[in-house]
Amino acid sequence: INLSLGGPEISSGFQDLMDEVRAAGVIVVAAAGNDGTSTTIYPASLNGVVSVSGVDLNKKQASYSNYGPFIDVAAPGGDNTPDVNGDGVPDGIISTVGDDTSNSVGKSKIEYTFTSSIGTSMASPQVAGVIALMKAVYPALTPRQFDDLLSSGTITEDLGTPGRDEKYGYG
């Protein structure tokens, strides 16, 4: 499950729900937040949830990305400021969007297009997608096995300070 959402507070019982989902064999991934601080964001800070920070094209922590002891892994979140690769487009994450602003009242037509976006909400679905591919190859993959692969560095590239750190987690 990907949760590209978050906030500073959480409903009571949400940790219990995450524990139940995890016990059922589901891996939950959540965006770490876009405040550029170590502010605790939920659900990313809950136990058993894979918390994802954002990095730019150079694999450096994105300026907006939250960080802290709850970060498990980093993934590309984009950056709309530079054009590091020189292609004439800011280095965001290309995503699909639906636009219904040009429609008249009562019409249900939505125009689909692509846009560049940034944020940990762009990074977390990439991690969830990799996990989905892993489960497609090995359906019996458990949340604990995934955690072990992550913490061992088997499936990540270590970024920042060697070992786990508060910007990139395990890489």
Side-chain angles (χ1 to χ4, degrees), residues 19-160:
D19 293 343
E20 287 179 37
V21 168
R22 186 175 167 93
V26 177
I27 301 169
V28 179
V29 179
N34 302 321
D35 301 314
T37 69
S38 60
T39 301
T40 303
I41 296 295
Y42 297 98
S45 295
L46 293 173
N47 293 329
V49 173
V50 179
S51 179
V52 183
S53 66
V55 296
D56 63 17
L57 191 64
N58 292 317
K59 301 179 187 175
K60 300 294 182 197
Q61 180 188 20
S63 61
Y64 56 79
S65 183
N66 283 11
Y67 54 89
F70 59 94
I71 300 298
D72 294 304
V73 68
D79 188 340
N80 277 344
T81 307
D83 177 17
V84 174
N85 62 359
D87 66 358
V89 179
D91 299 320
I93 304 298
I94 304 301
S95 184
T96 55
V97 294
D99 181 2
D100 66 352
T101 58
S102 65
N103 296 328
S104 59
V105 177
K107 303 251 178 161
S108 61
K109 183 178 179 202
I110 298 175
E111 294 182 30
Y112 296 98
T113 186
F114 297 95
T115 191
S116 177
S117 297
I118 64 166
T120 59
S121 288
M122 297 283 96
S124 62
Q126 294 183 64
V127 173
V130 169
I131 294 168
L133 292 171
M134 292 170 71
K135 285 194 70 86
V137 172
Y138 183 66
L141 179 69
T142 67
R144 169 54 53 203
Q145 289 169 325
F146 177 78
D147 292 346
D148 291 344
L149 289 168
L150 190 62
S151 64
S152 70
T154 303
I155 59 173
T156 59
E157 175 185 349
D158 194 7
L159 302 173

